[in-house]
Amino acid sequence: FWVNKASTALLCPSFTSMTQTQDSAVGVQPAESAVPKHASLDGVLGGTQSTGNSQTLLDANGHVVRSVRATPWRFVLLISAASFMFGNYYFFDQTSATEKDILAATGMSENTFGFLSSVYSYPNIILPLFGGILVDFFGVRRAAIVFTGLVFLGSLMFSLGLWINSTALMILARVIFGLGGESQCVTCLTLISQWFAGKELAFATAIIIAISRLGSVAAFNSQPGLVTSIGVVGASMIGTGLCVISCIGSWIVFGLDKHAARKDAARGLRTAATETDEVVRLRDVFMLGCMYWGLTASCVSVFVSAFPFMSVISSLYLEERFGFEESAAGSIVSNINLVSALVAPLLGLFVDRFGRRPLLLVVSAGILCSCHVAFLLLPRCHHCYWILVPYCLMGVGLSVYGGVIWPCIPLVVDSSITGTAFGLTTALQNFGMAVSPTILTALHSATKSFTLPFLYMIACCIIGIFSASCVWIIDWGSGQKLWRA
């Protein structure tokens, strides 16, 4: 289900190995010191018994005790965690939804705006290489507070930069927002993995992704109207206000998780210490095989053809070629995330039941490629709403691709280097996410045409299809692990 937002998507998987660490859930506070650091909920002494997610654990005396994390309180935590991701995604996409207004208010060039979109990803080229170190340093509960605080600080500084018309402050704000945003996503998925197990884990993850993407939908549909009503600065402050609500959600998560850890520790629930792969190690890079590199090449090329398009090209394309107003253009673009949010939960159930991952990778990358070809070839047409069709198809393709690609990685590498694999893939992906908006805006600015930007994105998709096809061929000749998984 992990789909990069900028990321995105959802690019949280770089820290998937952190979902095994419980430094955050237990062992951080003095009252919880009975539970060792780096412990896995799957390794509870004596084993676990699951009915859906009603996980029953054995205490130190061998008695069956139900963990607090298996009670209905887990749904309160789920909604609270989803609320702080909603604010994150809303503010991230509000700049794209109000691009023309920001350009008019600040006088910045189109290339500068592209750089403004790129700087979010620059810190995240390096951060994934350190895996779970940051979350281990803070503990996952404190990490939720710290990273959500950085998201709020970045949003506040950006709104202030708009108010005083300081491009430098807005760029700095986006860097700070990026530092908090990606790590906040990691923390959220880490918490969810601790509170949900078995059949509910995939569904809970899909709910987080769906609500996060609804934040993007809300930004594209509300920001243009807010700009008309209260101005670009006021509209930006609305996004900052939602980040305040995100902070409140993070404190609720903090309290619930701390309560659960203390209650479980007081009742003698213990976990077994496990090793975790937290950092990218150079020696591990040489252990990554051809299938891993094929997946990584496909992942990077496909995602850089999608999210930078949404950030810096899509609205301009709709306004210039189809004559839509900024608000209508934003609503159309938001359908990518809306369709993706609706498809994600159903897709997870399908893939878990039927597998066929290599086929889905090739088909979904092909769908994205065909959408870009359609965008390139479609003639000018005033207010033609049939353009919604390729946008909705892009949402389907992006949801399918993102939901399949990330779970493939742990299937093709040794479990001892999963963190290295995720970290390296995400670092390379964020590098692509950082440079692509700059490339796209430079191509459009230089030619005043969308031809070269779309050819660039089509080329990226073709690389993704070719790489995924190579993975399919290798998998077919080596036991069909991905096909059957």
Side-chain angles (χ1 to χ4, degrees):
F1 294 100
W2 291 293
V3 181
N4 191 312
K5 168 183 67 175
S7 161
T8 166
L10 304 165
L11 298 191
C12 310
S14 61
F15 296 89
T16 299
S17 61
M18 294 168 0
T19 60
Q20 297 176 343
T21 63
Q22 300 301 306
D23 166 28
S24 48
V26 289
V28 176
Q29 303 296 331
E32 303 150 14
S33 57
V35 186
K37 184 179 178 181
H38 301 317
S40 168
L41 283 178
D42 295 328
V44 175
L45 291 180
T48 64
Q49 302 171 356
S50 293
T51 305
N53 187 59
S54 301
Q55 199 175 52
T56 55
L57 311 176
L58 301 183
D59 63 14
N61 298 318
H63 300 134
V64 174
V65 182
R66 194 182 189 200
S67 169
V68 174
R69 293 181 177 86
T71 67
W73 281 109
R74 67 188 186 278
F75 295 108
V76 178
L77 182 131
L78 177 64
I79 297 303
S80 300
S83 72
F84 66 67
M85 291 306 302
F86 182 93
N88 180 340
Y89 275 62
Y90 184 97
F91 198 88
F92 176 86
D93 280 317
Q94 77 172 34
T95 53
S96 301
T98 57
E99 177 178 353
K100 278 195 169 181
D101 300 295
I102 291 175
L103 294 178
T106 62
M108 71 173 62
S109 67
E110 187 179 338
N111 287 339
T112 303
F113 185 85
F115 179 71
L116 195 66
S117 298
S118 295
V119 293
Y120 175 93
S121 296
Y122 286 144
N124 298 301
I125 297 172
I126 303 299
L127 286 179
L129 300 178
F130 297 97
I133 289 178
L134 287 176
V135 172
D136 276 343
F137 178 78
F138 292 112
V140 76
R141 290 195 297 271
R142 292 191 183 98
I145 302 296
V146 170
F147 297 136
T148 305
L150 285 175
V151 166
F152 167 70
L153 178 61
S155 68
L156 181 62
M157 290 175 61
F158 187 88
S159 298
L160 179 61
L162 275 177
W163 183 42
I164 65 176
N165 195 11
S166 171
T167 300
L169 182 58
M170 286 189 284
I171 291 173
L172 177 60
R174 290 287 288 185
V175 172
I176 293 174
F177 185 82
L179 285 170
E182 291 298 309
S183 299
Q184 182 192 54
C185 184
V186 170
T187 304
C188 179
L189 292 183
T190 304
L191 280 163
I192 294 305
S193 72
Q194 294 170 358
W195 280 72
F196 289 84
K199 297 178 181 178
E200 285 187 355
L201 179 57
F203 179 74
T205 304
I207 293 298
I208 292 293
I209 290 173
I211 293 178
S212 299
R213 288 186 171 274
L214 289 176
S216 296
V217 173
F220 279 108
N221 283 279
S222 65
Q223 277 291 305
L226 289 170
V227 169
T228 302
S229 301
I230 57 179
V232 67
V233 176
S236 183
M237 286 303 298
I238 295 295
T240 302
L242 288 175
C243 291
V244 173
I245 297 176
S246 295
C247 289
I248 295 172
S250 69
W251 278 104
I252 294 173
V253 167
F254 180 96
L256 284 174
D257 194 66
K258 187 174 182 179
H259 170 76
R262 285 183 170 175
K263 280 284 188 179
D264 286 353
R267 290 186 294 173
L269 293 178
R270 297 182 300 166
T271 55
T274 60
E275 294 295 326
T276 59
D277 178 28
E278 297 174 350
V279 295
V280 170
R281 295 180 294 244
L282 183 60
R283 68 178 183 273
D284 292 342
V285 173
F286 299 102
M287 299 171 59
L288 302 170
C290 293
M291 290 181 67
Y292 166 79
W293 290 111
L295 288 170
T296 296
S298 180
C299 176
V300 173
S301 56
V302 169
F303 279 139
V304 300
S305 75
F307 291 101
F309 163 73
M310 294 166 60
S311 297
V312 298
I313 292 294
S314 187
S315 292
L316 286 175
Y317 169 76
L318 290 169
E319 292 165 21
E320 293 184 19
R321 185 165 292 189
F322 293 90
F324 288 108
E325 298 295 326
E326 187 175 43
S327 58
S331 296
I332 293 172
V333 175
S334 72
N335 280 279
I336 298 176
N337 284 317
L338 179 60
V339 171
S340 182
L342 296 175
V343 169
L346 298 176
L347 171 69
L349 295 174
F350 175 86
V351 174
D352 286 341
R353 182 176 179 85
F354 298 105
R356 309 297 191 269
R357 296 177 190 273
L359 172 63
L360 292 173
L361 288 177
V362 173
V363 170
S364 57
I367 291 173
L368 291 171
C369 187
S370 65
C371 290
H372 286 306
V373 171
F375 292 142
L376 175 62
L377 298 179
L378 288 173
R380 291 183 178 274
C381 180
H382 187 70
H383 286 191
C384 293
Y385 279 92
W386 45 258
I387 191 64
L388 279 167
V389 174
Y391 273 89
C392 290
L393 280 176
M394 180 171 276
V396 173
L398 193 58
S399 180
V400 172
Y401 189 88
V404 172
I405 186 69
W406 292 112
C408 284
I409 291 179
L411 295 174
V412 301
V413 300
D414 188 89
S415 60
S416 64
I417 58 171
T418 301
T420 296
F422 274 124
L424 188 57
T425 300
T426 306
L428 293 172
Q429 181 180 307
N430 280 322
F431 175 77
M433 292 290 184
V435 300
S436 283
T438 304
I439 293 173
L440 290 172
T441 52
L443 291 173
H444 179 258
S445 180
T447 63
K448 304 302 179 185
S449 167
F450 292 101
T451 300
L452 289 182
F454 278 120
L455 287 176
Y456 169 80
M457 290 181 282
I458 290 169
C460 290
C461 285
I462 291 173
I463 294 172
I465 294 170
F466 176 77
S467 302
S469 299
C470 290
V471 169
W472 189 355
I473 293 170
I474 296 171
D475 180 64
W476 196 264
S478 57
Q480 301 180 33
K481 180 184 293 186
L482 294 180
W483 181 266
R484 300 178 187 278

